[in-house]
Amino acid sequence: MNSRREASALRQDLHALPLPDGRGLVIVDEIGGRFARTTKRIWQSLQGSASDAPGATAPPDATFWPQAKAAGWLKRTSVDAPNSRSRWLPSPLSFRIPLASIDPVARRLVPLSGLVYSPLAVVLFSVAGLVSLLFWMVRWQHWAGSVPSLQSYLLSLQPLTIAATFVLTKTAHELGHAVLCRRFGSRCGVVGIWWLCFMPCPYVDVTDVWRQPNAARRGAVMAAGIWVEWIIAMGALWVWWLAPSHEVRMTAMNVVLVCGISTVLFNANPLMRYDGYFILSDLLDTANLREEARRGLRLFLVSPLSRWHRFGKRVWSMAVYHLASKLYRISISIAIATFVLQWAAGWGLWRIAMVVVVLAVMRFAFTGMRNLVRMIRGSGAWMGVPGGRRVGLAACVCLAAILILIVPVPRYRHVPGVIRVRDAALVYLPRGGVIEAVDVRVGDRVIAGQKLAEIADPTLQMKFEENRGKQSVIRERVHATRLASLRTGTSARDWQALEAASDSLASNQSLLQKRIDSLRLVSPQAGLVLPASAAPTTPKNHRDWRMEDPFTLRPTVGETTEDRVAWCRIASDPRLEVVVNINASDRNRIAEGVPVSVTLPSMPGRKIRTHVRGVSPMELVGEQVAATKPEEELAYEAVCDLSIESMVRPQDPSFAGQTATTDRELDGLLRWDGASCQAVLRLPSKPLWKDAKHSIERLMGI
């Protein structure tokens, strides 16, 4: 390539500002609002002049022109016009909307920034962060036990509440960048909204910080947002521990996850183009880390195997970085798309979210196909690569895509479950009475026939006495009519009718007597008294659960009885089972014998292996003829066996010593009956193309 022709392709509006070290330059793109760092030697080589350093040799121009093109330093040609137009097509899942300059706000906050960014504040917050981290590790079991409650809490929140928590924390993150940038004397750019996967995220332009000659200052500005979020997460961690309210604790736990874990996975991760990426780029002294990494991988693809050993450590590192970054971004995109679809399905917006995801997938597929065609034709960056190598690489890419679609992938379902007693006799109260006395409590042991409660029913007693009186009158009339018929010789039809009425009253009297006998509630078998339901219930009228005795059976003395639901259970067998709700779409893939892994909040890190014993349909509430898809999701329940021995730790003092007796096993029922758990069901492997087919059919209503 001709040097003069390439030099004339450099944009004339670029400004080169020298750095204090005497070797570096900052190339200012005023139109694009971007800055890039390079060396005088590279810049002079691009301009076609010799290096000023004595004895220095200018490297080949072709080495730096791809970097200059990626940085936007070259003039746009007719060949680049279609590519530039395609790059301007916004993604439906990611686009930015600039609003206004953030510089005035940052200038006003600079006097207060010493509370967070001064050397003393950095030391104090660092020590406090270490203490908080140790505290979190000590309280890990409590934290892990609160995860199921957090999931239920997040599902109960409105979408605006979840979005507000995310936006407010990320706004503090971006203000951290802007304030420290202004504290160092650099000008802040615009603030705007970055629409990322249906979530409005604020962003701030602080590219002016690249004018700073000190690499430590540039890195500090890039890490300022992460620092602010970690401070917020540290405060939320202590709120989670000290707050008396359950809602406040769950909110604080959510903030810890947003400002702590998500910040590490996204902002601090150099594999994503966020803060960690720019910090790593500055440390490696590269203007475009992603582009250099892409060129490093391409160098391996187009070079013979015999030359790979000549590549330096930087080329190897860049190639590995590019592969890791690509795989990580694809995994994160799939995870985010799955989360968005699940969230949209819960709010009846599944079709809208699916359309947007399909458009994004089509855009990604179109870009991949276009690059594949360029590879086969040998155009663009593939010019000069042997045709056999290009075709071979294209065949490998196609084969990998086909294998990803057709190879069965193991499937798992994470579902909540409830532990309950496997075999227990249900005890029902008679209807319409008032409880006079209760002789047992939850946890008491009873024998067969032992009285459990006494119920009074004055109405039933009045009916019994009334029926008995009618029966006495009818008997006297039957006797008198029969004597009269015998004396006069008349027909016996009258006294036979009265005798039939007397038999009817006797039968009714027997039924009433049985109902009266049932007012004295007795145990049907020997065993342990348990609450009627293993599932946790919400107290009526939002009463404080601490004001109620958990060992008292409800309804209790003085309350009316109802026979539609069980009053208690009598467990004579210490066997337990796990009941989990499964989707109707998974019914055909979950059968007897499917492996299940169960985890309990009270035993974090420990998994209990079991299998599905049976699957049965759940009783739906009401007639839902035209039920929507989300309402049909939980239509079946799977039951799995669970032994108490598998749930007891060997060092548990309550079960130490001799072999567990029946009484000891029954005591374990009180500990585990009604406990919530998380179950992971392993489904049969399934290829991805079937998922795509099912999603399309569901989208089209087929």
Side-chain angles (χ1 to χ4, degrees):
M1 187 177 295
N2 188 280
S3 177
R4 292 185 178 179
R5 182 168 58 86
E6 293 291 357
S8 63
L10 283 174
R11 291 170 49 186
Q12 301 299 321
D13 59 317
L14 299 177
H15 301 284
L17 303 178
L19 292 176
D21 57 8
R23 294 183 299 103
L25 294 174
V26 174
I27 309 303
V28 183
D29 182 1
E30 297 288 355
I31 296 178
R34 295 180 297 179
F35 298 85
R37 296 176 61 249
T38 185
T39 62
K40 287 185 178 180
R41 186 167 61 94
I42 297 176
W43 183 249
Q44 290 169 358
S45 176
L46 294 174
Q47 289 180 326
S49 61
S51 174
D52 293 338
T57 302
D61 295 341
T63 306
F64 303 105
W65 286 112
Q67 301 183 36
K69 183 178 180 180
W73 294 351
L74 305 185
K75 296 179 182 178
R76 186 178 303 172
T77 62
S78 59
V79 178
D80 300 328
N83 298 335
S84 63
R85 286 195 296 269
S86 64
R87 285 194 297 267
W88 278 102
L89 292 176
S91 170
L93 297 179
S94 177
F95 57 89
R96 299 191 179 192
I97 305 174
L99 298 179
S101 175
I102 193 65
D103 195 62
V105 177
R107 189 185 300 111
R108 291 179 178 272
L109 293 177
V110 165
L112 301 176
S113 61
L115 299 176
V116 178
Y117 298 122
S118 65
L120 179 60
V122 171
V123 172
L124 292 178
F125 280 120
S126 299
V127 174
L130 292 176
V131 173
S132 301
L133 181 60
L134 294 176
F135 158 77
W136 181 69
M137 295 173 62
V138 170
R139 303 297 303 176
W140 167 249
Q141 291 189 354
H142 191 186
W143 175 275
S146 302
V147 171
S149 300
L150 177 64
Q151 295 176 350
S152 303
Y153 172 74
L154 293 178
L155 291 175
S156 65
L157 293 179
Q158 297 293 332
L160 291 178
T161 305
I162 299 177
T165 303
F166 182 84
V167 171
L168 289 177
T169 54
K170 296 307 173 183
T171 300
H173 176 103
E174 297 301 324
L175 280 177
H177 288 305
V179 172
L180 189 58
C181 178
R182 192 64 198 180
R183 181 183 176 91
F184 287 154
S186 298
R187 180 177 55 85
C188 299
V190 298
V191 61
I193 301 297
W194 185 4
W195 187 258
L196 181 63
C197 297
F198 304 100
M199 186 68 70
C201 307
Y203 76 92
V204 171
D205 181 14
V206 291
T207 53
D208 192 63
V209 74
W210 293 105
R211 295 178 184 267
Q212 293 284 340
N214 191 336
R217 287 193 170 190
R218 296 191 299 269
V221 173
M222 292 298 104
I226 302 175
W227 176 252
V228 170
E229 285 205 66
W230 281 353
I231 293 176
I232 296 175
M234 180 179 58
L237 185 64
W238 288 99
V239 172
W240 165 74
W241 170 244
L242 299 175
S245 173
H246 175 74
E247 288 75 13
V248 175
R249 289 197 303 271
M250 293 298 101
T251 302
M253 194 173 180
N254 182 32
V255 172
V256 172
L257 294 177
V258 172
C259 296
I261 298 178
S262 67
T263 301
V264 174
L265 292 178
F266 291 95
N267 296 98
N269 190 351
L271 299 178
M272 304 288 288
R273 198 178 176 87
Y274 298 120
D275 302 335
Y277 169 86
F278 293 106
I279 295 175
L280 181 61
S281 299
D282 200 7
L283 293 176
L284 296 178
D285 197 18
T286 177
N288 193 328
L289 176 60
R290 183 173 294 180
E291 180 64 22
E292 184 179 352
R294 187 189 66 81
R295 290 196 308 271
L297 179 61
R298 181 182 176 276
L299 190 59
F300 281 93
L301 297 178
V302 301
S303 301
L305 295 178
S306 58
R307 296 182 182 178
W308 283 15
H309 69 279
R310 301 179 183 178
F311 300 147
K313 295 181 179 179
R314 186 179 181 93
V315 177
W316 282 91
S317 302
M318 288 297 174
V320 173
Y321 171 84
H322 183 76
L323 289 176
S325 176
K326 181 69 69 175
L327 293 176
Y328 184 81
R329 284 184 283 138
I330 292 175
S331 302
I332 289 295
S333 300
I334 295 175
I336 292 177
T338 303
F339 171 77
V340 169
L341 290 176
Q342 292 178 351
W343 174 83
W347 292 91
L349 303 174
W350 183 87
R351 293 184 182 275
I352 298 177
M354 189 64 188
V355 169
V356 177
V357 172
V358 168
L359 292 177
V361 172
M362 292 177 61
R363 182 177 181 271
F364 175 79
F366 174 77
T367 303
M369 291 297 297
R370 185 182 60 186
N371 294 334
L372 190 63
V373 171
R374 289 179 179 177
M375 178 191 299
I376 297 175
R377 296 177 59 184
S379 60
W382 296 96
M383 186 178 300
V385 180
R389 183 180 290 269
R390 297 198 310 269
V391 174
L393 291 175
C396 291
V397 171
C398 295
L399 180 61
I402 293 174
L403 291 177
I404 291 174
L405 291 176
I406 66 174
V407 172
V409 180
R411 302 301 177 93
Y412 300 89
R413 286 291 182 270
H414 296 256
V415 291
V418 176
I419 299 176
R420 70 183 184 188
V421 178
R422 177 174 174 177
D423 297 317
L426 298 177
V427 178
Y428 291 86
L429 294 171
R431 185 177 183 180
V434 178
I435 300 178
E436 281 191 340
V438 177
D439 297 339
V440 294
R441 289 162 56 86
V442 174
D444 291 347
R445 288 180 177 79
V446 296
I447 60 176
Q450 179 178 339
K451 188 179 74 169
L452 303 179
E454 191 76 31
I455 295 94
D457 192 347
T459 304
L460 180 61
Q461 191 67 34
M462 291 178 61
K463 289 182 180 180
F464 179 82
E465 296 297 335
E466 180 182 357
N467 190 83
R468 186 168 60 178
K470 290 181 179 180
Q471 189 178 16
S472 300
V473 173
I474 290 295
R475 285 176 180 172
E476 293 297 331
R477 292 183 60 185
V478 168
H479 181 70
T481 304
R482 186 175 184 179
L483 291 177
S485 176
L486 292 175
R487 285 195 303 268
T488 59
T490 57
S491 175
R493 184 177 302 173
D494 292 338
W495 68 265
Q496 290 177 350
L498 291 173
E499 193 172 40
S502 176
D503 294 340
S504 177
L505 289 174
S507 176
N508 192 23
Q509 188 75 0
S510 177
L511 293 177
L512 292 175
Q513 184 62 48
K514 290 182 179 180
R515 292 182 59 184
I516 291 176
D517 294 339
S518 66
L519 295 179
R520 186 178 184 274
L521 200 64
V522 297
S523 174
Q525 62 183 20
L528 191 71
V529 179
L530 298 175
S533 175
T537 56
T538 304
K540 296 181 180 180
N541 301 326
H542 302 281
R543 292 178 295 182
D544 191 350
W545 61 270
R546 291 170 294 186
M547 301 300 294
E548 296 192 8
D549 186 357
F551 295 97
T552 300
L553 295 172
R554 302 289 177 179
T556 185
V557 177
E559 298 179 358
T560 58
T561 60
E562 182 61 54
D563 62 350
R564 291 181 299 178
V565 293
W567 183 56
C568 69
R569 294 172 295 159
I570 307 299
S572 59
D573 195 334
R575 292 181 297 176
L576 296 172
E577 64 183 8
V578 177
V579 181
V580 296
N581 299 333
I582 63 176
N583 297 340
S585 58
D586 293 333
R587 173 63 185 90
N588 296 330
R589 295 190 290 170
I590 297 179
E592 182 179 352
V594 170
V596 181
S597 177
V598 180
T599 58
L600 286 85
S602 58
M603 295 166 35
R606 185 176 181 183
K607 296 182 180 180
I608 302 174
R609 307 292 181 178
T610 180
H611 62 276
V612 175
R613 189 179 79 244
V615 180
S616 59
M618 296 176 60
E619 182 179 354
L620 299 179
V621 180
E623 297 288 338
Q624 297 181 357
V625 179
T628 59
K629 185 66 179 179
E631 294 173 344
E632 296 175 354
E633 289 293 335
L634 302 178
Y636 296 89
E637 64 179 16
V639 181
C640 313
D641 290 327
L642 198 66
S643 62
I644 294 182
E645 290 79 6
S646 63
M647 303 167 62
V648 176
R649 296 181 182 273
Q651 64 273 19
D652 194 336
S654 62
F655 287 83
Q658 301 178 355
T659 305
T661 62
T662 302
D663 289 343
R664 185 173 298 173
E665 291 174 346
L666 291 177
D667 286 336
L669 298 182
L670 292 177
R671 179 178 180 182
W672 302 111
D673 182 57
S676 60
C677 63
Q678 292 291 323
V680 180
L681 290 80
R682 180 167 183 174
L683 308 182
S685 301
K686 181 180 177 183
L688 295 179
W689 72 266
K690 290 188 177 181
D691 288 337
K693 178 177 177 291
H694 174 71
S695 299
I696 294 175
E697 291 176 349
R698 181 179 172 186
L699 179 64
M700 303 300 296
I702 301 176

